[in-house]
Amino acid sequence: MAILVTGGAGYIGSVTVELLLERGEEVVVLDNLSRGHADAVPSDVPLYRGNIGDRELVARLASEHSIEACVHFAAFAYVGESVSEPDLYYENNVAQGIALLESLRAVGVKLMVFSSTCATYGEPVRIPIDETHPQSPTNPYGWSKLFMEHILAAYSAAYDFRFLALRYFNAAGATAGCGEDHSPETHLIPLILQAARGEIPQLSVFGDKYATPDGTCIRDYIHVADLATAHLLALDYLRKGGESTAVNLGNGNGHSVFEVVEAARKVTQTAIKVKIESPRPGDPSHLIADATKAHDLLNWRPRFPDLNSIITSAWQWHAAHPQGYAEGVRASASE
């Protein structure tokens, strides 16, 4: 039986594929490669290029591989873009997500690990944020993920189907094989490292008047390998008959933008210039996780919780891959 990983050519998806393979799982990847990289997927893993909403394609890959469960990453995930282009987010993340669910149900797939986000909570009313915190997103990206959580809950109640939604906080870092390579890049740590390498003249910091100690946004950064491990534990939980639910994934420690910049200066031993820009619409001031439920339900514990380890792993990956993924090396995907 194979695990279907949608968005498996993306940042977190590719690391999850890496860890699934390490423990001997059979893996199939579905990705339209609009934002992922074919070369992030090992050449011996079947890679189907197409949209998750393509029912004929999902039916074909299911006929060619016996699919036990789906780990669903494939989504657009830029907050700012979701504000300016909400139609893109509701179409890709919600409409195609529903089509994927129907396609999987048609071929008898009953388990899904869903990549959700702390953006479903919106501006926090208390810190740290646990799973009982009100969910009121401040941007269409967060709403698209919350809509999918509600849709998954409805499917679970009505059909023979179970899911675990993982609401993770800020993914960062790299493994030796997989790292963060977006175009355009909007995430803080890779942008800081671009500034450290001289690829951009300075780091833009969006707002320094938030209600935080130094005025910049505070986030809970979690190593991508720890996130990927949680997806494997979530899969095991569902295989053992675990009930549908949602859990937070985070370290429980918040770091401001300025704190991350200072840590990166120490890791890279370079001066990193910053420029204060206007705040981005839809950005909450604080996001810090209470991951007690994940600890208790999945026996999940981060292995790389400290900020220096996270930044160091990203710095080492970018040093080894100065151009990111070398497009065109991998054999073409199945259409």
Side-chain angles (χ1 to χ4, degrees), residues 76-78 81-82 85-94:
F76 296 147
Y78 293 139
E81 182 183 60
S82 79
E85 299 183 68
D87 59 328
L88 188 67
Y89 278 68
Y90 292 132
E91 164 60 26
N92 184 78
N93 296 4
V94 182

Side-chain angles (χ1 to χ4, degrees), residues 128-309:
I129 299 169
D130 66 11
E131 291 81 4
T132 66
H133 187 285
Q135 290 180 284
S136 183
T138 59
N139 52 70
Y141 165 61
W143 279 112
S144 72
K145 290 291 191 175
L146 182 56
F147 290 153
M148 282 305 300
E149 284 194 17
H150 285 297
I151 291 164
L152 287 166
Y155 270 60
S156 183
Y159 310 123
D160 183 11
F161 174 83
R162 287 176 292 114
F163 74 95
L164 187 58
L166 303 180
R167 298 174 187 156
Y168 35 85
F169 284 59
N170 283 52
T175 64
C178 298
E180 195 165 6
D181 182 11
H182 299 121
S183 181
E185 185 58 74
T186 65
H187 293 167
L188 178 62
I189 289 177
L191 286 172
I192 292 175
L193 299 183
Q194 286 182 13
R197 295 192 304 272
E199 296 176 8
I200 57 175
Q202 59 201 4
L203 174 74
S204 293
V205 174
F206 296 99
D208 64 348
K209 298 295 189 294
Y210 286 94
T212 64
D214 65 18
T216 63
C217 288
I218 291 176
R219 296 290 183 265
D220 186 336
Y221 294 92
I222 177 170
H223 197 288
V224 65
D226 287 329
L227 282 178
T229 297
H231 288 75
L232 272 63
L233 293 173
L235 180 61
D236 294 341
Y237 165 84
L238 292 173
R239 281 170 162 167
K240 294 174 183 176
E243 296 181 355
S244 297
T245 189
V247 300
N248 290 338
L249 298 177
N251 286 315
N253 299 313
H255 298 281
S256 73
V257 173
F258 285 160
E259 287 175 333
V260 178
V261 170
E262 187 56 36
R265 286 171 175 153
K266 293 178 181 178
V267 168
T268 64
Q269 297 185 340
T270 62
I272 299 169
K273 296 181 180 179
V274 301
K275 180 182 179 182
I276 306 302
E277 308 277 6
S278 299
R280 293 180 299 194
D283 266 352
S285 59
H286 294 73
L287 288 173
I288 303 173
D290 179 343
T292 301
K293 185 175 178 181
H295 300 166
D296 294 343
L297 197 69
L298 305 179
N299 195 28
W300 175 78
R301 297 288 190 284
R303 293 179 298 157
F304 312 104
D306 65 287
L307 188 59
N308 283 347
S309 295

Side-chain angles (χ1 to χ4, degrees), residues 5-216:
V5 181
T6 63
Y11 174 40
I12 305 169
S14 64
V15 177
T16 301
V17 168
E18 183 179 52
L19 296 190
L20 284 167
L21 293 173
E22 284 180 2
R23 76 170 193 180
E25 301 277 4
E26 181 182 348
V27 179
V28 177
V29 170
L30 172 59
D31 198 304
N32 65 14
L33 301 181
S34 65
R35 304 192 178 188
H37 303 271
D39 297 306
V41 181
S43 59
D44 58 348
V45 172
L47 169 58
Y48 290 78
R49 181 173 182 173
N51 293 323
I52 59 171
D54 185 337
R55 299 191 186 201
E56 291 185 3
L57 177 58
V58 175
R60 179 164 69 85
L61 72 84
S63 71
E64 295 172 353
H65 306 273
S66 183
I67 305 299
E68 176 191 6
C70 176
V71 182
H72 177 31
F73 293 100
F76 296 147
Y78 293 139
V79 168
E81 182 183 60
S82 79
V83 174
S84 61
E85 299 183 68
D87 59 328
L88 188 67
Y89 278 68
Y90 292 132
E91 164 60 26
N92 184 78
N93 296 4
V94 182
Q96 292 207 35
I98 295 171
L100 173 66
L101 282 174
E102 282 297 289
S103 298
L104 295 176
R105 195 160 70 93
V107 297
V109 176
K110 301 176 181 181
L111 306 177
M112 175 177 282
V113 179
F114 177 59
S115 166
S116 193
T117 171
C118 62
T120 64
Y121 294 117
E123 184 67 36
V125 298
R126 62 178 183 269
I127 296 290
I129 299 169
D130 66 11
E131 291 81 4
T132 66
H133 187 285
Q135 290 180 284
S136 183
T138 59
N139 52 70
Y141 165 61
W143 279 112
S144 72
K145 290 291 191 175
L146 182 56
F147 290 153
M148 282 305 300
E149 284 194 17
H150 285 297
I151 291 164
L152 287 166
Y155 270 60
S156 183
Y159 310 123
D160 183 11
F161 174 83
R162 287 176 292 114
F163 74 95
L164 187 58
L166 303 180
R167 298 174 187 156
Y168 35 85
F169 284 59
N170 283 52
T175 64
C178 298
E180 195 165 6
D181 182 11
H182 299 121
S183 181
E185 185 58 74
T186 65
H187 293 167
L188 178 62
I189 289 177
L191 286 172
I192 292 175
L193 299 183
Q194 286 182 13
R197 295 192 304 272
E199 296 176 8
I200 57 175
Q202 59 201 4
L203 174 74
S204 293
V205 174
F206 296 99
D208 64 348
K209 298 295 189 294
Y210 286 94
T212 64
D214 65 18
T216 63

